[in-house]
Amino acid sequence: MSYTQFSVLLLLLAALLCSFAEAREPFACDPRNGVTRNLPFCRVSLPIQERARDLVGRLTLQEKIRLLVNNAIDVPRLGIKGYEWWSEALHGVSNVGPGTKFGGSFPGATSFPQVITTAASFNASLWEEIGRVVSDEARAMYNGGMAGLTYWSPNVNIFRDPRWGRGQETPGEDPAVAAKYAAAYVRGLQGNAGERLKVAACCKHYTAYDLDHWGSIDRFHFNARVSKQDLEDTYDIPFKACVVEGNVASVMCSYNQVNGKPTCADPHLLRDTIRGDWKLNGYIVSDCDSVGVFYDEQHYTATPEEAAAVAIKAGLDLDCGPFLAIHTEAAIRGGKLTEADVNGALMNTISVQMRLGMFDGEPSAHPYGNLGPRDVCTPAHQQLALEAARQGIVLLQNRGPALPLSTSRHRTIAVIGPNSDVTETMIGNYAGVACGYTTPLQGIGRYARTIHQAGCSDVACRDDQQFGAAVAAARQADATVLVMGLDQSIEAEFRDRVDILLPGRQQELVSKVAMASRGPTVLVLMSGGPIDVSFAKNDPRIAAIIWVGYPGQAGGAAIADVLFGRTNPGGKLPVTWYPQSYLRKAPMTNMAMRAIPSRGYPGRTYRFYNGPVVFPFGHGLSYSSFAHSLAQAPTTVSVSLASLQTIKNSTMVSSGAIRVSHANCNTQALGFHIDVKNTGTMDGSHTLLLFSTPPPGTWSPNKRLLAFEKVHVAAGSQERVRFDVHVCKHLSVVDHFGIHRIPMGEHHFHIGDLKHSISLQATLEEIKSK
């Protein structure tokens, strides 16, 4: 053999070895292992519960305990490799968490817009499609040995307070939107193969978790005092949808206490509600070191053994952190916990691993075993990231209208601001390594010549040293685009905002540039949370205002497409934009949703707050105009009682509301048929938001969103949209005791400027017939 032939052989051998190294070895049940391949837990033909029970029965107590934590040990004698449970996929495969890493054949993954931006699309099919793409890339990386299959996403907490640093991770302030997002994204991640899972999603952080670090209070020490009413009609709604509608494989309990009990130690929340009432088919995991937090920081138990016992008995199955691995055996030896309790927890975690195919032998035999590097950052995936960013952009104001800009009249654009040429800022938090970036400056540069000045060295904008150059640029250009806002230095995990104004001297920069600009001035805001930009809204020199959230890897291209009219904006705000004065009346620690006028407490979100706003929930303009007309809807509906026994309580009808449990809820849905006409000159997508206002009463919100639908309507044409309204689900309200009741009387419905009323009447025909 010649030296050249030998060298070629070595190269081929090295390539072969690299391919083996990158491939995912079987997690368990390797068909080459004669010891384990015929054991019951390796038989794919058996029911998963039977397989899991067989495996748990073969483990020693010490092995069991080391499987209760996120960095689970290997069990060589049973052919089981170690496994890291903690991976994240909030809006793309992330390297936050030790379960996923980038490099080699997987240098990056598609980074979609941050969740708050995607929520602004109000497009449930888009949410599910993003989940499907993310799980394709996650499976590909798992097959290549670079990721796990258990992803602790999505975050479905209600964005209750505008200062919350993690509000960017959520679908916004409305429970109905958050619920629909939760179920759609989970379905996209987990696939539709029945009990089998593509990846395992996890809805977090259960429950009433929306304070990280505000003043002297942090999430590790916060006791959220929440009424039964608010838990039932606000905080728990998205989590219930995750489990009941999305069939999520996991729920994560939060750091905070709720009414004096740590959520990870509360059997009512975990064992009774998530697993009992909602029938979770999966596992419950702690937020990282939550068990240690409620022992060390909250001093909820006297000993660490008691903490371990309380958590597992409450229904916790997996600990992110070492606490259960260290203290569970002592808890069992001390009689505070039984091995059967540990077995129950392991049944829940191992069953999920089996549903993922991790005990099926060769990964290549799995339905997703053929996914690999070619399935990550594909052109189609990156195009979806661009489309998601376009759909999430919200046009807040458009005087004139000044937008869209014209490539013939606006040939030179001054692009100014600390967020005008950013990359990582666009993907927000809990992100990975993007496939690539198009910054706002680059995107605008595809349409026109640009003059770029940052104006501030960063979003903190502490001085005005660069203001002069920015003003000079605006004087030279045909139009000016200011890309301002926030980043993770202002709003982030463990960093709540101190106010909701533009940071530092950004406002001063915007006003000075707008005064000098010889063409239209457009303010583009990049942020997760709302910003009080009343100054810009009221400044006639600022022609347009656009909010883009954190728009993902293709954010700059999407911004430019909207500015120049290639895309007709159709996003709507998923949160209320409050004035700065709101903060003085609403401490972050006050969890009440409803206003308390006697105490000056204003209430929260559009459902319960009636005060002034900068921009309301659901606000968003288009380059076109749309008209609604009601094609069909009922005017009177009879609510029949489930049985005669139910009206023996004399207050049931006299109180003006019927318990949902006493009503016949199997009646046909009420059909609302709405015609939407595009009366403008540009094709566009329009979101219909169906709100209802129940009869007056102390239980009722001001109004609430029942349903929403996004529809594309060509210029001059008309489309019909149908909403199905279910009386028991959509027209009931929650009383002070957390009980759902259906108010009788006039219910008012609103879609834009379209209004309609339906009269609900209780029928007592059963009584009369007797």
Side-chain angles (χ1 to χ4, degrees):
M1 180 182 294
S2 69
Y3 176 79
T4 302
Q5 290 174 317
F6 183 69
S7 299
V8 169
L9 183 61
L10 283 178
L11 288 172
L12 289 172
L13 182 59
L16 188 62
L17 288 172
C18 283
S19 68
F20 282 137
E22 290 183 357
R24 167 69 66 178
E25 292 273 332
F27 175 77
C29 302
D30 189 334
R32 296 164 295 187
N33 186 337
V35 176
T36 62
R37 65 187 177 194
N38 292 321
L39 295 176
F41 71 81
C42 290
R43 295 179 192 164
V44 179
S45 59
L46 293 177
I48 282 176
Q49 287 296 306
E50 187 175 333
R51 296 173 66 195
R53 194 174 299 111
D54 175 74
L55 174 56
V56 171
R58 296 175 186 276
L59 297 169
T60 67
L61 176 61
Q62 288 71 30
E63 288 168 342
K64 292 174 182 177
I65 288 168
R66 281 295 284 116
L67 296 179
L68 292 172
V69 291
N70 63 288
N71 55 341
I73 61 161
D74 59 338
V75 185
R77 64 186 185 83
L78 295 176
I80 298 171
K81 292 180 171 59
Y83 180 69
E84 176 54 65
W85 285 83
W86 181 7
S87 290
E88 304 277 356
L90 184 69
H91 51 111
V93 180
S94 169
N95 55 1
V96 176
T100 303
K101 54 185 178 292
F102 290 98
S105 299
F106 301 94
T110 309
S111 193
F112 290 92
Q114 180 60 287
V115 176
I116 195 69
T117 311
T118 308
S121 71
F122 282 84
N123 186 345
S125 61
L126 174 68
W127 301 337
E128 186 165 346
E129 180 64 10
I130 290 172
R132 186 194 65 76
V133 166
V134 172
S135 59
D136 274 355
E137 298 195 352
R139 264 284 175 177
M141 292 181 68
Y142 171 79
N143 293 340
M146 302 293 278
L149 290 177
T150 46
Y151 288 85
W152 294 346
S153 303
N155 178 344
V156 298
N157 292 115
I158 298 297
F159 195 173
R160 169 190 63 105
D161 190 288
R163 291 161 288 199
W164 188 30
R166 301 188 73 177
Q168 61 182 289
E169 303 173 29
T170 76
E173 71 181 36
D174 183 74
V177 175
K180 197 161 186 177
Y181 177 88
Y185 190 65
V186 165
R187 283 194 297 266
L189 285 177
Q190 295 190 163
N192 56 2
E195 191 175 32
R196 288 285 178 166
L197 297 168
K198 188 178 181 185
V199 304
C202 173
C203 288
K204 63 185 185 184
H205 314 78
Y206 181 73
T207 183
Y209 171 82
D210 51 11
L211 180 152
D212 267 64
H213 197 178
W214 181 70
S216 61
I217 306 296
D218 65 40
R219 58 187 179 175
F220 304 131
H221 301 90
F222 181 50
N223 177 22
R225 300 191 180 278
V226 188
S227 68
K228 291 180 179 179
Q229 187 177 35
D230 285 340
L231 271 179
E232 184 65 25
D233 82 349
T234 299
Y235 296 112
D236 282 0
I237 285 178
F239 292 97
K240 183 176 182 179
C242 263
V243 178
V244 175
E245 298 170 32
N247 296 311
V248 74
S250 176
V251 174
M252 176 183 285
C253 52
S254 56
Y255 289 117
N256 57 292
Q257 296 186 356
V258 172
N259 299 326
K261 285 188 178 181
T263 63
C264 294
D266 190 338
H268 171 69
L269 293 179
L270 307 189
R271 193 174 296 281
D272 297 345
T273 301
I274 297 176
R275 195 169 297 284
D277 295 342
W278 300 344
K279 312 297 182 192
L280 173 70
N281 179 21
Y283 70 97
I284 299 173
V285 61
S286 74
D287 204 342
C288 292
D289 210 29
S290 284
V291 184
V293 164
F294 78 66
Y295 170 68
D296 291 316
E297 303 293 334
Q298 299 174 7
H299 308 296
Y300 186 69
T301 62
T303 67
E305 295 78 19
E306 287 175 335
V310 164
I312 293 173
K313 285 184 173 180
L316 188 72
D317 303 308
L318 185 71
D319 180 18
C320 177
F323 197 91
L324 291 187
I326 297 169
H327 300 292
T328 299
E329 185 169 2
I332 293 173
R333 304 294 182 210
K336 295 176 174 61
L337 192 68
T338 68
E339 189 168 351
D341 294 323
V342 173
N343 292 347
L346 291 179
M347 282 291 295
N348 294 325
T349 54
I350 290 171
S351 294
V352 167
Q353 289 180 316
M354 289 182 170
R355 292 168 63 196
L356 288 162
M358 295 172 67
F359 287 81
D360 292 356
E362 292 288 357
S364 59
H366 194 275
Y368 306 108
N370 61 333
L371 293 172
R374 67 185 180 281
D375 301 296
V376 179
C377 289
T378 67
H381 293 182
Q382 296 193 63
Q383 180 63 32
L384 184 64
L386 172 59
E387 180 59 27
R390 289 168 172 164
Q391 291 195 29
I393 291 175
V394 182
L395 178 60
L396 297 173
Q397 186 161 286
N398 192 14
R399 302 179 194 273
L403 293 179
L405 299 175
S406 165
T407 53
S408 60
R409 288 184 291 109
H410 305 110
R411 297 183 178 182
T412 302
I413 309 294
V415 184
I416 296 167
N419 282 337
S420 59
D421 196 29
V422 292
T423 53
E424 282 92 347
T425 297
M426 294 194 300
I427 60 177
N429 71 353
Y430 279 81
V433 179
C435 309
Y437 294 101
T438 303
T439 72
L441 177 64
Q442 291 169 335
I444 294 169
R446 295 174 178 176
Y447 287 91
R449 187 174 75 86
T450 60
I451 307 171
H452 179 236
Q453 290 292 334
C456 305
S457 57
D458 54 33
V459 295
C461 200
R462 294 182 178 89
D463 58 61
D464 64 353
Q465 292 181 9
Q466 301 180 51
F467 284 17
V471 167
R475 287 187 177 132
Q476 301 173 51
D478 300 318
T480 298
V481 177
L482 285 146
V483 191
M484 313 298 286
L486 316 178
D487 64 14
Q488 302 306 304
S489 70
I490 305 296
E491 54 178 356
E493 184 169 10
F494 215 65
R495 182 177 293 121
D496 297 326
R497 292 156 70 190
V498 296
D499 60 44
I500 51 174
L501 301 171
L502 283 172
R505 302 179 71 172
Q506 283 195 41
Q507 177 174 329
E508 182 184 348
L509 173 63
V510 171
S511 296
K512 286 186 173 180
V513 166
M515 185 179 296
S517 180
R518 77 177 194 199
T521 299
V522 181
L523 175 59
V524 176
L525 298 168
M526 197 176 290
S527 71
I531 305 172
D532 181 353
V533 287
S534 301
F535 80 96
K537 181 181 178 184
N538 299 325
D539 187 343
R541 295 163 301 186
I542 297 174
I545 306 173
I546 293 176
W547 177 72
V548 301
Y550 293 122
Q553 65 177 48
I559 291 167
D561 288 346
V562 168
L563 289 173
F564 284 90
R566 180 177 178 182
T567 295
N568 189 351
K572 305 284 187 184
L573 286 181
V575 289
T576 301
W577 282 37
Y578 303 91
Q580 170 73 5
S581 58
Y582 172 83
L583 304 185
R584 295 195 302 268
K585 306 170 187 175
M588 273 197 84
T589 49
N590 191 326
M591 302 295 292
M593 297 301 298
R594 288 159 175 80
I596 309 173
S598 62
R599 300 181 187 174
Y601 181 67
R604 296 189 180 277
T605 77
Y606 78 92
R607 294 189 303 147
F608 303 107
Y609 169 68
N610 274 325
V613 300
V614 180
F615 294 107
F617 171 88
H619 175 70
L621 306 176
S622 170
Y623 295 152
S624 197
S625 54
F626 299 89
H628 311 108
S629 59
L630 184 64
Q632 180 182 329
T635 56
T636 303
V637 174
S638 294
V639 181
S640 61
L641 302 174
S643 70
L644 294 175
Q645 184 67 29
T646 62
I647 66 160
K648 287 187 176 180
N649 179 353
S650 61
T651 64
M652 186 191 66
V653 176
S654 62
S655 66
I658 296 173
R659 276 197 185 205
V660 167
S661 59
H662 293 165
N664 179 4
C665 290
N666 296 322
T667 56
Q668 189 175 2
L670 312 180
F672 281 72
H673 299 255
I674 311 296
D675 288 332
V676 186
K677 186 172 183 179
N678 186 336
T679 57
T681 59
M682 184 182 291
D683 297 352
S685 292
H686 180 61
T687 297
L688 286 84
L689 303 174
L690 175 61
F691 293 97
S692 80
T693 301
T698 55
W699 309 327
S700 305
N702 304 324
K703 67 174 183 177
R704 66 170 178 171
L705 184 66
L706 302 186
F708 55 90
E709 192 69 41
K710 197 176 193 80
V711 59
H712 187 80
V713 189
S717 68
Q718 180 172 292
E719 299 288 340
R720 178 164 292 184
V721 176
R722 174 183 174 126
F723 290 109
D724 288 327
V725 175
H726 298 269
V727 172
C728 293
K729 178 181 179 181
H730 293 120
L731 302 186
S732 62
V733 297
V734 178
D735 69 14
H736 297 300
F737 303 101
I739 297 170
H740 289 258
R741 297 179 181 272
I742 307 168
M744 298 297 104
E746 293 290 318
H747 290 250
H748 303 283
F749 299 83
H750 321 264
I751 299 177
D753 55 1
L754 183 66
K755 297 181 180 179
H756 180 72
S757 296
I758 295 179
S759 177
L760 259 60
Q761 302 170 357
T763 175
L764 305 179
E765 290 178 355
E766 285 187 284
I767 295 176
K768 294 175 183 176
S769 66
K770 295 292 182 178

mmCIF file of all heavy atoms in Angstrom, residues 282-307:
data_model
loop_
_atom_site.group_PDB
_atom_site.id
_atom_site.type_symbol
_atom_site.label_atom_id
_atom_site.label_comp_id
_atom_site.label_asym_id
_atom_site.label_seq_id
_atom_site.Cartn_x
_atom_site.Cartn_y
_atom_site.Cartn_z
ATOM 1 N N GLY A 282 -47.489 12.413 32.836
ATOM 2 C CA GLY A 282 -46.105 12.836 32.742
ATOM 3 C C GLY A 282 -45.521 13.077 34.113
ATOM 4 O O GLY A 282 -45.953 12.476 35.097
ATOM 5 N N TYR A 283 -44.553 13.977 34.197
ATOM 6 C CA TYR A 283 -43.827 14.195 35.441
ATOM 7 C C TYR A 283 -43.901 15.648 35.869
ATOM 8 O O TYR A 283 -44.125 16.554 35.058
ATOM 9 C CB TYR A 283 -42.374 13.741 35.308
ATOM 10 C CG TYR A 283 -41.504 14.604 34.402
ATOM 11 C CD1 TYR A 283 -40.678 15.595 34.933
ATOM 12 C CD2 TYR A 283 -41.500 14.417 33.022
ATOM 13 C CE1 TYR A 283 -39.870 16.376 34.110
ATOM 14 C CE2 TYR A 283 -40.705 15.193 32.189
ATOM 15 C CZ TYR A 283 -39.889 16.168 32.746
ATOM 16 O OH TYR A 283 -39.103 16.952 31.937
ATOM 17 N N ILE A 284 -43.695 15.890 37.152
ATOM 18 C CA ILE A 284 -43.627 17.233 37.710
ATOM 19 C C ILE A 284 -42.198 17.477 38.164
ATOM 20 O O ILE A 284 -41.625 16.666 38.904
ATOM 21 C CB ILE A 284 -44.611 17.398 38.885
ATOM 22 C CG1 ILE A 284 -46.054 17.169 38.410
ATOM 23 C CG2 ILE A 284 -44.471 18.789 39.514
ATOM 24 C CD1 ILE A 284 -47.080 17.154 39.529
ATOM 25 N N VAL A 285 -41.621 18.596 37.717
ATOM 26 C CA VAL A 285 -40.223 18.907 38.016
ATOM 27 C C VAL A 285 -40.158 20.231 38.767
ATOM 28 O O VAL A 285 -40.994 21.114 38.579
ATOM 29 C CB VAL A 285 -39.385 18.973 36.711
ATOM 30 C CG1 VAL A 285 -39.903 20.051 35.778
ATOM 31 C CG2 VAL A 285 -37.904 19.173 37.002
ATOM 32 N N SER A 286 -39.162 20.360 39.624
ATOM 33 C CA SER A 286 -38.961 21.627 40.339
ATOM 34 C C SER A 286 -38.197 22.608 39.468
ATOM 35 O O SER A 286 -37.416 22.211 38.606
ATOM 36 C CB SER A 286 -38.163 21.380 41.624
ATOM 37 O OG SER A 286 -36.800 21.133 41.313
ATOM 38 N N ASP A 287 -38.443 23.899 39.682
ATOM 39 C CA ASP A 287 -37.504 24.879 39.143
ATOM 40 C C ASP A 287 -36.166 24.635 39.845
ATOM 41 O O ASP A 287 -36.119 24.046 40.936
ATOM 42 C CB ASP A 287 -37.999 26.301 39.380
ATOM 43 C CG ASP A 287 -37.407 27.288 38.385
ATOM 44 O OD1 ASP A 287 -36.390 26.953 37.753
ATOM 45 O OD2 ASP A 287 -37.960 28.387 38.243
ATOM 46 N N CYS A 288 -35.090 25.077 39.236
ATOM 47 C CA CYS A 288 -33.777 24.595 39.664
ATOM 48 C C CYS A 288 -33.434 24.997 41.096
ATOM 49 O O CYS A 288 -33.335 26.183 41.417
ATOM 50 C CB CYS A 288 -32.718 25.052 38.672
ATOM 51 S SG CYS A 288 -32.947 24.208 37.093
ATOM 52 N N ASP A 289 -33.293 23.965 41.920
ATOM 53 C CA ASP A 289 -32.988 24.048 43.343
ATOM 54 C C ASP A 289 -34.157 24.574 44.171
ATOM 55 O O ASP A 289 -33.964 25.088 45.272
ATOM 56 C CB ASP A 289 -31.732 24.895 43.600
ATOM 57 C CG ASP A 289 -30.995 24.421 44.863
ATOM 58 O OD1 ASP A 289 -31.093 23.222 45.177
ATOM 59 O OD2 ASP A 289 -30.364 25.246 45.527
ATOM 60 N N SER A 290 -35.392 24.433 43.652
ATOM 61 C CA SER A 290 -36.556 24.902 44.408
ATOM 62 C C SER A 290 -36.709 24.205 45.747
ATOM 63 O O SER A 290 -37.145 24.826 46.726
ATOM 64 C CB SER A 290 -37.836 24.699 43.591
ATOM 65 O OG SER A 290 -37.952 25.659 42.588
ATOM 66 N N VAL A 291 -36.380 22.920 45.794
ATOM 67 C CA VAL A 291 -36.511 22.201 47.067
ATOM 68 C C VAL A 291 -35.494 22.747 48.062
ATOM 69 O O VAL A 291 -35.825 23.011 49.233
ATOM 70 C CB VAL A 291 -36.337 20.682 46.872
ATOM 71 C CG1 VAL A 291 -36.575 19.951 48.190
ATOM 72 C CG2 VAL A 291 -37.306 20.164 45.804
ATOM 73 N N GLY A 292 -34.280 22.967 47.597
ATOM 74 C CA GLY A 292 -33.283 23.591 48.457
ATOM 75 C C GLY A 292 -33.688 24.985 48.882
ATOM 76 O O GLY A 292 -33.450 25.395 50.023
ATOM 77 N N VAL A 293 -34.336 25.722 47.989
ATOM 78 C CA VAL A 293 -34.771 27.082 48.308
ATOM 79 C C VAL A 293 -35.807 27.068 49.417
ATOM 80 O O VAL A 293 -35.738 27.868 50.357
ATOM 81 C CB VAL A 293 -35.315 27.791 47.049
ATOM 82 C CG1 VAL A 293 -36.124 29.029 47.428
ATOM 83 C CG2 VAL A 293 -34.167 28.175 46.128
ATOM 84 N N PHE A 294 -36.798 26.180 49.341
ATOM 85 C CA PHE A 294 -37.824 26.237 50.389
ATOM 86 C C PHE A 294 -37.319 25.699 51.732
ATOM 87 O O PHE A 294 -37.901 25.994 52.771
ATOM 88 C CB PHE A 294 -39.173 25.645 49.942
ATOM 89 C CG PHE A 294 -39.330 24.152 49.918
ATOM 90 C CD1 PHE A 294 -39.294 23.394 51.075
ATOM 91 C CD2 PHE A 294 -39.617 23.498 48.728
ATOM 92 C CE1 PHE A 294 -39.496 22.022 51.054
ATOM 93 C CE2 PHE A 294 -39.826 22.118 48.695
ATOM 94 C CZ PHE A 294 -39.768 21.378 49.866
ATOM 95 N N TYR A 295 -36.200 24.969 51.708
ATOM 96 C CA TYR A 295 -35.581 24.595 52.988
ATOM 97 C C TYR A 295 -34.615 25.669 53.465
ATOM 98 O O TYR A 295 -34.732 26.194 54.581
ATOM 99 C CB TYR A 295 -34.853 23.257 52.870
ATOM 100 C CG TYR A 295 -34.004 22.967 54.097
ATOM 101 C CD1 TYR A 295 -34.596 22.709 55.335
ATOM 102 C CD2 TYR A 295 -32.610 23.016 54.024
ATOM 103 C CE1 TYR A 295 -33.821 22.494 56.467
ATOM 104 C CE2 TYR A 295 -31.828 22.797 55.146
ATOM 105 C CZ TYR A 295 -32.437 22.534 56.363
ATOM 106 O OH TYR A 295 -31.665 22.328 57.493
ATOM 107 N N ASP A 296 -33.652 26.040 52.623
ATOM 108 C CA ASP A 296 -32.576 26.955 53.041
ATOM 109 C C ASP A 296 -33.025 28.405 53.159
ATOM 110 O O ASP A 296 -32.605 29.116 54.081
ATOM 111 C CB ASP A 296 -31.414 26.891 52.039
ATOM 112 C CG ASP A 296 -30.684 25.561 52.092
ATOM 113 O OD1 ASP A 296 -30.420 25.072 53.203
ATOM 114 O OD2 ASP A 296 -30.372 25.023 51.011
ATOM 115 N N GLU A 297 -33.874 28.868 52.221
ATOM 116 C CA GLU A 297 -34.232 30.283 52.154
ATOM 117 C C GLU A 297 -35.581 30.580 52.822
ATOM 118 O O GLU A 297 -35.739 31.589 53.493
ATOM 119 C CB GLU A 297 -34.265 30.752 50.695
ATOM 120 C CG GLU A 297 -32.971 30.533 49.929
ATOM 121 C CD GLU A 297 -31.840 31.392 50.447
ATOM 122 O OE1 GLU A 297 -32.112 32.460 51.029
ATOM 123 O OE2 GLU A 297 -30.672 30.992 50.288
ATOM 124 N N GLN A 298 -36.544 29.699 52.609
ATOM 125 C CA GLN A 298 -37.878 29.949 53.152
ATOM 126 C C GLN A 298 -38.092 29.287 54.514
ATOM 127 O O GLN A 298 -39.085 29.578 55.183
ATOM 128 C CB GLN A 298 -38.937 29.469 52.150
ATOM 129 C CG GLN A 298 -38.855 30.186 50.812
ATOM 130 C CD GLN A 298 -39.804 29.606 49.762
ATOM 131 O OE1 GLN A 298 -40.634 28.745 50.058
ATOM 132 N NE2 GLN A 298 -39.679 30.070 48.520
ATOM 133 N N HIS A 299 -37.175 28.379 54.871
ATOM 134 C CA HIS A 299 -37.232 27.697 56.175
ATOM 135 C C HIS A 299 -38.598 27.054 56.405
ATOM 136 O O HIS A 299 -39.182 27.138 57.482
ATOM 137 C CB HIS A 299 -36.907 28.680 57.308
ATOM 138 C CG HIS A 299 -35.630 29.442 57.090
ATOM 139 N ND1 HIS A 299 -34.396 28.822 57.035
ATOM 140 C CD2 HIS A 299 -35.403 30.766 56.871
ATOM 141 C CE1 HIS A 299 -33.458 29.733 56.816
ATOM 142 N NE2 HIS A 299 -34.046 30.921 56.701
ATOM 143 N N TYR A 300 -39.067 26.394 55.335
ATOM 144 C CA TYR A 300 -40.398 25.788 55.401
ATOM 145 C C TYR A 300 -40.410 24.510 56.226
ATOM 146 O O TYR A 300 -41.424 24.164 56.820
ATOM 147 C CB TYR A 300 -40.904 25.518 53.976
ATOM 148 C CG TYR A 300 -42.320 25.014 53.914
ATOM 149 C CD1 TYR A 300 -43.385 25.857 54.245
ATOM 150 C CD2 TYR A 300 -42.598 23.711 53.534
ATOM 151 C CE1 TYR A 300 -44.691 25.398 54.199
ATOM 152 C CE2 TYR A 300 -43.903 23.250 53.468
ATOM 153 C CZ TYR A 300 -44.948 24.097 53.810
ATOM 154 O OH TYR A 300 -46.248 23.632 53.756
ATOM 155 N N THR A 301 -39.288 23.795 56.254
ATOM 156 C CA THR A 301 -39.178 22.591 57.081
ATOM 157 C C THR A 301 -37.985 22.728 58.025
ATOM 158 O O THR A 301 -37.069 23.525 57.780
ATOM 159 C CB THR A 301 -38.987 21.324 56.218
ATOM 160 O OG1 THR A 301 -37.761 21.441 55.483
ATOM 161 C CG2 THR A 301 -40.145 21.125 55.252
ATOM 162 N N ALA A 302 -38.006 21.920 59.080
ATOM 163 C CA ALA A 302 -36.947 22.010 60.096
ATOM 164 C C ALA A 302 -35.670 21.301 59.654
ATOM 165 O O ALA A 302 -34.570 21.674 60.077
ATOM 166 C CB ALA A 302 -37.440 21.418 61.415
ATOM 167 N N THR A 303 -35.807 20.265 58.826
ATOM 168 C CA THR A 303 -34.631 19.493 58.397
ATOM 169 C C THR A 303 -34.679 19.289 56.882
ATOM 170 O O THR A 303 -35.757 19.323 56.276
ATOM 171 C CB THR A 303 -34.601 18.106 59.075
ATOM 172 O OG1 THR A 303 -35.708 17.326 58.597
ATOM 173 C CG2 THR A 303 -34.673 18.241 60.594
ATOM 174 N N PRO A 304 -33.523 19.026 56.283
ATOM 175 C CA PRO A 304 -33.525 18.770 54.834
ATOM 176 C C PRO A 304 -34.248 17.475 54.479
ATOM 177 O O PRO A 304 -34.842 17.373 53.408
ATOM 178 C CB PRO A 304 -32.030 18.701 54.485
ATOM 179 C CG PRO A 304 -31.322 18.462 55.774
ATOM 180 C CD PRO A 304 -32.151 19.100 56.831
ATOM 181 N N GLU A 305 -34.207 16.492 55.382
ATOM 182 C CA GLU A 305 -34.921 15.241 55.129
ATOM 183 C C GLU A 305 -36.427 15.469 55.035
ATOM 184 O O GLU A 305 -37.112 14.882 54.188
ATOM 185 C CB GLU A 305 -34.622 14.223 56.232
ATOM 186 C CG GLU A 305 -33.176 13.757 56.299
ATOM 187 C CD GLU A 305 -32.252 14.764 56.971
ATOM 188 O OE1 GLU A 305 -32.764 15.658 57.703
ATOM 189 O OE2 GLU A 305 -31.023 14.667 56.767
ATOM 190 N N GLU A 306 -36.914 16.355 55.911
ATOM 191 C CA GLU A 306 -38.344 16.689 55.857
ATOM 192 C C GLU A 306 -38.680 17.388 54.540
ATOM 193 O O GLU A 306 -39.744 17.145 53.951
ATOM 194 C CB GLU A 306 -38.720 17.587 57.036
ATOM 195 C CG GLU A 306 -38.759 16.870 58.371
ATOM 196 C CD GLU A 306 -39.011 17.819 59.527
ATOM 197 O OE1 GLU A 306 -38.697 19.023 59.412
ATOM 198 O OE2 GLU A 306 -39.517 17.352 60.562
ATOM 199 N N ALA A 307 -37.791 18.245 54.074
ATOM 200 C CA ALA A 307 -38.025 18.941 52.806
ATOM 201 C C ALA A 307 -38.120 17.942 51.651
ATOM 202 O O ALA A 307 -39.011 18.042 50.799
ATOM 203 C CB ALA A 307 -36.914 19.951 52.545
#
